[in-house]
Amino acid sequence: MFHIFEKIAMDETYIIAEISANHGGSIENALELVRQSAKAGADCVKIQTYTADSLTIDCNNQYFRIQGGLWDGCKLYDLYQEAGTPYEWQGRIKEECEKCGVDFLSTPFDNDAVDFLESLGAEAYKIASFELVDIPLIEYAASKGKPMIISTGMGSLEEIQDAIDACQRGGNDQIVLLKCCSEYPAPWEDMHLRNIPDMKQRFRLPIGLSDHSAGSLGAVVGVTLGACVVEKHIKLPDVESADSKFSMEITEFAQMVKDVRNAKLIAKGPDYSLTEGEEASTVFRRSLFAVKDIKAGELLSAENVRSIRPGYGIKPKYLETVVSRKSCIDIKRGEPINEELLGKLKDGFMEDIFLRYAVQEDAEFLFNLVNDCECRGNSFNPQKITWKEHMDWFRGILLSGTQKQYILMDGITPVGQGRLEASGETCRISYSIIPERRGCGYGKALIKLLNNAAVKDFQECNCCFGEVLKENIASQKIFEELGYTAEERDKYFRYHKRIEYCKIDQEFNKKIRGGITIKQ
C-alpha cells in the first residue's frame, strides 16, 4: 500500500528521498541510500526510470548541448546515460524499500517505463517537472489508476491544469501537485513558496514541495505554508554524480526530516484553546485580591483590592465592577476576590437595570454567552454552537414577528440575555446571565422584566412559561420564588404563570431607575 494519502489525511508531512543519479554507478550505493533514508525518517525513496534513448537522441549539434548552469557543455545523451538507474537494479531497489518499511516510487519518462514499473508492482507514479507538458505520458500513467505525484516546475497555470485534466479524463483523481523551482540548485529568491497556499486554493488538491535549494530552510518554510509533501535529493558522502552538487548529504537529510516534522508541529492552528501546560500557568496571571483586611459592611476600593499575581481571583477587567460594592463578610488580606465571594457583595449592582432589544452588534456577546460551559450544561442541547449556526439563528430572530431577543443591561454593561417566543396567548422564556453576575439576583430581575416585556410586545400573551432541566436548581428556585407553578416532566420542570403588566414591588423598584423599561 502506498501511504501518501494516509499521511496527508493524518495531517502529517510525507517525505520523499530522491536518489536520482546519486547511486554514482553502484547498486550498493543505491541500496545504502534506501537504508539510510529509512533510518533518517523518510516515508518514501524515489528513483527514475529511463534510458538515454527514451529521453533524447545521441546528437552532437548545439540543440543537444547544455548551455550554462550546473551541466554547462554536457551533451544530453551522455548526461542521461551517466545519470540513469539501470532497469536491472530497480526490482532490487524496490525490494530493499519494502524490507526497510518505506514506499517505493519512480518517475517514468515514457510509456515503456510505465509498463516496466507496472511489472514491478509500482503503486504510484511521479511526473517530473520537465514532463509536465507531456500530456500523452501523463494520460498513460494516470490510466493505471494509481496516485499521481506531479512536479510543476516551469509550469504555467494553464499547463498545470492541462496535467490535472489529463489525469481526471481517465477517472484518476488521486493527484498531488509539487511546487518546484527547476533550477539546480534553486536560489531562495526564485522559489516563490507562497504559491503553495495559492495552488491549494486554485486547484483544490494536496500541494507539496520538490525542493532543490540548499539546506533544509526551503522545506521548513514550505511546510509552514501548507506543503503536505517534501521531496529532496539525497547523496552519500564522497559519492560524486551528475546530481550530487545540488543534493543533500544523508546526515543533513536526517536533520531536515526532524526540522520538517517539528515545523509541522509549530505551524499547527488556528487553535486558541489552552494547552495543558498553559492551563497550569494561568495561576501565575494577575487577578483581583484583597490587599488589605476588609470588614463586613466596608466598601471595596482601589485601596483594598488590586490586580496582582497569582491568578486565583477573577480577572482584572472586573475591577471597576467590584469597587464601590460592600462586602457582607470579613475578607482577609491575601484572599482572592473570586466568583464565590462575588455573591457576598452588595450595592453597586442593579442600580440601573433595564432591557433593550438586541441588535446585530450583540451577536458576539450572545455567541460567547450561549457557549459558556454552564449555559450549555443547562441547555436541552449541550453541544457547542458554531458561529455559522449562531448567526443563521440570530438573523432569523431579528427578523421574526413571534420572537424577541433582549439584552439585560446594568447601566452601560450587558449582563445577560432573555428571549421570548410567542405562540398565541403564551410566551416561552429563555434566559442566561454572564458568569460574573450569577448568584446576585439578576436572574429574578430579568424574568420580571421579561414578564412585562411579554405583555408589551405580544398583546395576546397572558401566560409565560419556562422549561428547566432537573439539574438546574438555581433556575428552579427563581421561577418558584416568582410564583410560577411547576409541572414535572421526564427530564425537566415546566414552570408557568398567568401574567399582566404589573408594578414592581417597592424594594425592587428602588433598584430599577424608572421601573420596568425596554429601551429601543
Side-chain angles (χ1 to χ4, degrees):
M1 175 184 175
F2 199 73
H3 297 90
I4 189 167
F5 287 109
E6 178 186 341
K7 281 274 188 176
I8 291 171
M10 295 169 62
D11 197 28
E12 296 180 8
T13 306
Y14 186 82
I15 298 178
I16 302 171
E18 165 69 272
I19 293 178
S20 62
N22 289 314
H23 49 71
S26 163
I27 188 173
E28 288 306 319
N29 287 341
L31 298 178
E32 182 62 17
L33 280 168
V34 172
R35 291 188 284 269
Q36 291 294 328
S37 297
K39 185 178 178 181
D43 300 293
C44 175
V45 172
K46 191 181 89 65
I47 61 173
Q48 299 177 3
T49 304
Y50 65 85
T51 65
D53 291 301
S54 69
L55 277 178
T56 189
I57 60 173
D58 189 0
C59 183
N60 202 28
N61 69 29
Q62 71 270 24
Y63 301 114
F64 292 88
R65 284 198 173 273
I66 299 172
Q67 304 290 325
L70 191 62
W71 303 290
D72 184 37
C74 288
K75 190 170 72 171
L76 289 178
Y77 190 89
D78 294 343
L79 177 65
Y80 298 144
Q81 200 164 40
E82 175 193 346
T85 303
Y87 281 32
E88 58 268 24
W89 295 2
Q90 299 198 11
R92 180 69 184 87
I93 292 171
K94 183 174 182 291
E95 290 174 3
E96 194 67 23
C97 287
E98 293 167 354
K99 180 180 175 182
C100 293
V102 295
D103 291 341
F104 168 81
L105 180 65
S106 186
T107 301
F109 289 83
D110 66 349
N111 290 2
D112 288 342
V114 174
D115 292 339
F116 172 75
L117 290 169
E118 281 291 295
S119 73
L120 294 183
E123 297 179 296
Y125 291 104
K126 167 73 192 302
I127 300 298
S129 290
F130 294 88
E131 275 57 50
L132 178 69
V133 294
D134 190 346
I135 298 303
L137 172 62
I138 294 173
E139 286 179 331
Y140 189 71
S143 73
K144 306 305 177 183
K146 297 171 181 178
M148 296 287 291
I149 304 163
I150 303 175
S151 283
T152 61
M154 305 167 290
S156 67
L157 291 174
E158 180 183 359
E159 289 166 342
I160 296 170
Q161 189 62 58
D162 286 345
I164 295 169
D165 294 342
C167 294
Q168 294 178 337
R169 273 195 298 273
N172 192 335
D173 293 317
Q174 302 174 80
I175 305 166
V176 177
L177 301 179
L178 301 187
K179 171 68 183 81
C180 180
C181 175
S182 295
E183 299 181 55
Y184 303 89
W188 288 338
E189 64 270 20
D190 291 350
M191 291 181 70
H192 301 161
L193 294 192
R194 282 210 174 272
N195 287 16
I196 291 171
D198 184 71
M199 290 170 67
K200 186 175 181 181
Q201 183 176 8
R202 284 178 186 272
F203 300 114
R204 304 295 179 185
L205 291 171
I207 307 297
L209 171 65
S210 180
D211 181 22
H212 300 141
S213 66
S216 61
L217 183 59
V220 167
V221 173
V223 167
T224 62
L225 289 171
C228 57
V229 176
V230 170
E231 179 189 53
K232 195 78 173 179
H233 286 251
I234 56 165
K235 65 179 181 179
L236 294 171
D238 303 321
V239 175
E240 295 297 322
S241 77
D243 295 339
S244 59
K245 286 186 170 57
F246 66 89
S247 299
M248 177 179 271
E249 282 201 12
I250 195 68
T251 52
E252 292 179 83
F253 177 76
Q255 184 60 49
M256 186 209 77
V257 171
K258 293 178 182 177
D259 292 342
V260 164
R261 305 286 188 217
N262 289 332
K264 184 69 176 177
L265 291 174
I266 292 168
K268 279 188 175 181
D271 182 355
Y272 296 96
S273 61
L274 298 187
T275 65
E276 186 176 338
E278 283 185 315
E279 190 71 50
S281 294
T282 57
V283 297
F284 302 111
R285 279 178 153 184
R286 284 178 175 263
S287 67
L288 298 187
F289 267 81
V291 294
K292 293 182 179 179
D293 288 342
I294 302 170
K295 299 291 185 184
E298 185 180 346
L299 282 176
L300 277 66
S301 68
E303 298 297 319
N304 54 30
V305 175
R306 282 176 49 203
S307 165
I308 60 172
R309 294 186 183 187
Y312 295 99
I314 59 175
K315 293 177 181 178
K317 69 178 182 178
Y318 300 116
L319 180 61
E320 289 186 10
T321 300
V322 167
V323 296
S324 300
R325 297 182 64 195
K326 287 182 182 178
S327 176
C328 298
I329 60 170
D330 290 341
I331 306 173
K332 291 188 175 295
R333 179 178 182 271
E335 283 191 39
I337 309 298
N338 53 29
E339 292 185 13
E340 179 183 357
L341 193 134
L342 280 179
K344 298 171 183 176
L345 304 179
K346 62 181 181 180
D347 295 338
F349 272 74
M350 298 172 63
E351 290 294 321
D352 183 17
I353 69 169
F354 59 89
L355 289 183
R356 64 168 175 80
Y357 295 112
V359 294
Q360 189 71 35
E361 289 73 18
D362 294 312
E364 185 174 359
F365 170 76
L366 291 169
F367 177 71
N368 291 333
L369 185 52
V370 76
N371 278 321
D372 168 74
C373 291
E374 190 171 333
C375 284
R376 294 265 45 89
N378 289 331
S379 172
F380 284 79
N381 171 21
Q383 300 299 315
K384 286 221 170 189
I385 307 299
T386 68
W387 177 255
K388 183 181 184 305
E389 291 170 337
H390 173 70
M391 288 307 298
D392 289 345
W393 167 85
F394 188 45
R395 292 187 191 102
I397 288 287
L398 294 179
L399 296 173
S400 175
T402 59
Q403 299 184 69
K404 294 288 184 183
Q405 179 68 53
Y406 309 92
I407 304 296
L408 179 65
M409 303 293 294
D410 189 350
I412 62 171
T413 304
V415 295
Q417 66 83 26
R419 184 169 69 255
L420 295 174
E421 301 174 52
S423 177
E425 295 181 348
T426 65
C427 271
R428 176 177 176 168
I429 291 175
S430 302
Y431 78 98
S432 53
I433 305 297
I434 63 174
E436 304 79 39
R437 302 292 178 96
R438 290 172 191 159
C440 300
Y442 282 98
K444 187 185 292 187
L446 176 53
I447 291 178
K448 288 184 178 184
L449 291 169
L450 289 171
N451 285 344
N452 280 358
V455 177
K456 176 181 180 297
D457 283 337
F458 303 104
Q459 296 181 1
E460 295 182 7
C461 178
N462 59 33
C463 178
C464 281
F465 72 93
E467 295 174 341
V468 183
L469 292 176
K470 289 185 176 179
E471 295 84 1
N472 189 354
I473 305 300
S475 282
Q476 293 170 29
K477 287 182 179 179
I478 289 173
F479 278 107
E480 289 166 4
E481 289 173 5
L482 291 175
Y484 276 70
T485 301
E487 294 179 0
E488 186 172 3
R489 303 293 170 87
D490 183 25
K491 295 183 179 180
Y492 65 93
F493 291 101
R494 186 182 190 275
Y495 289 94
H496 60 89
K497 179 182 180 182
R498 294 191 64 81
I499 60 166
E500 60 182 14
Y501 196 91
C502 59
K503 292 183 178 180
I504 307 305
D505 60 81
Q506 185 175 0
E507 178 184 353
F508 187 57
N509 192 48
K510 290 177 183 177
K511 296 180 178 178
I512 305 175
R513 189 176 304 162
I516 296 293
T517 59
I518 301 177
K519 297 192 178 180
Q520 298 281 0

